[in-house]
């Protein structure tokens, strides 16, 4: 894993998240922490992919990180969780998989389109599962107080 490449990717993730947060009208005081949440999630994605080469585990762990940091940031900064969660998940969304589905459908290569459909659905499912698990954990944790 090239450190310069990692730094460039994490920096790009930060800028992408902040840009999306601005488009979603996230208040200025939350932009830095939202950007750091997304950049941290992308860093975890890169780290896990480098160590395991398992896209599903990588998606689950990075989305779990983003969800946990979003929950904690929301409580620390007294903001809705979605202020951090929605922009923070952006770098993890399997957009290239969706592109490949359409590309191979247009090329009339159904077996490749089917493969990428399954792959993209699994990655998206792992992201959703991670957000659900973390949200459920925090709900149980804070209901007992």
């Amino acid at each position: 894993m090239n450190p310069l490449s990692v730094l460039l990717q994490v920096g790009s993730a930060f800028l992408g998240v902040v840009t999306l947060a601005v488009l979603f009208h996230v208040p200025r005081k939350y932009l830095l922490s939202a950007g750091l949440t997304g950049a941290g999630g992308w860093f975890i994605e890169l780290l896990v992919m480098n160590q395991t080469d398992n896209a599903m585990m990588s998606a689950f762990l990075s989305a779990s990180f983003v969800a946990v940091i979003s929950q904690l940031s929301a409580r620390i900064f007294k903001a809705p969780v979605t202020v951090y969660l929605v922009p923070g998940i952006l770098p993890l969304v399997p957009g290239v998989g969706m592109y490949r589905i359409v590309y191979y459908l247009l090329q009339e290569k159904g077996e490749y389109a089917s493969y990428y459909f399954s792959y993209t659905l699994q990655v998206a499912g792992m992201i959703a599962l991670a957000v659900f698990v973390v949200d459920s954990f925090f709900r149980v944790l804070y209901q007992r107080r």
Side-chain angles (χ1 to χ4, degrees), residues 51-113:
Q51 297 298 316
T52 66
D53 202 32
N54 184 334
M56 301 315 137
M57 182 187 298
S58 178
F60 184 80
L61 293 176
S62 57
S64 295
F65 173 83
V66 169
V68 167
I69 297 302
S70 296
Q71 290 281 348
L72 295 175
S73 296
R75 283 164 175 75
I76 291 168
F77 297 114
K78 310 261 189 284
V81 174
T82 54
V83 165
Y84 301 102
L85 185 62
V86 173
I89 290 288
L90 173 72
L92 309 178
V93 173
V96 74
M98 291 181 254
Y99 168 81
R100 287 178 179 157
I101 294 166
V102 173
Y103 176 79
Y104 286 119
L105 283 173
L106 293 174
Q107 295 293 318
E108 296 182 2
K109 295 183 179 176
E111 65 280 356
Y112 291 113

Side-chain angles (χ1 to χ4, degrees), residues 4-55:
L4 184 60
S5 173
V6 170
L7 186 62
L8 186 63
Q9 287 188 46
V10 170
S12 297
F14 175 83
L15 288 174
V17 169
V18 169
T19 302
L20 183 71
V22 168
L23 289 174
F24 283 168
H25 301 289
V26 169
R28 277 190 149 176
K29 62 184 176 180
Y30 305 129
L31 291 179
L32 178 64
S33 52
L36 290 173
T37 300
W42 186 247
F43 178 73
I44 299 296
E45 170 93 13
L46 292 175
L47 191 66
V48 174
M49 276 300 286
N50 185 52
Q51 297 298 316
T52 66
D53 202 32
N54 184 334

Side-chain angles (χ1 to χ4, degrees), residues 126-137:
M126 293 308 283
I127 293 169
L129 181 64
V131 171
F132 173 75
V133 167
V134 170
D135 185 58
S136 297
F137 174 77

Side-chain angles (χ1 to χ4, degrees), residues 56 101 112-124:
M56 301 315 137
I101 294 166
Y112 291 113
S114 177
Y115 168 78
Y116 283 110
F117 178 77
S118 174
Y119 175 83
T120 303
L121 200 57
Q122 288 175 30
V123 171

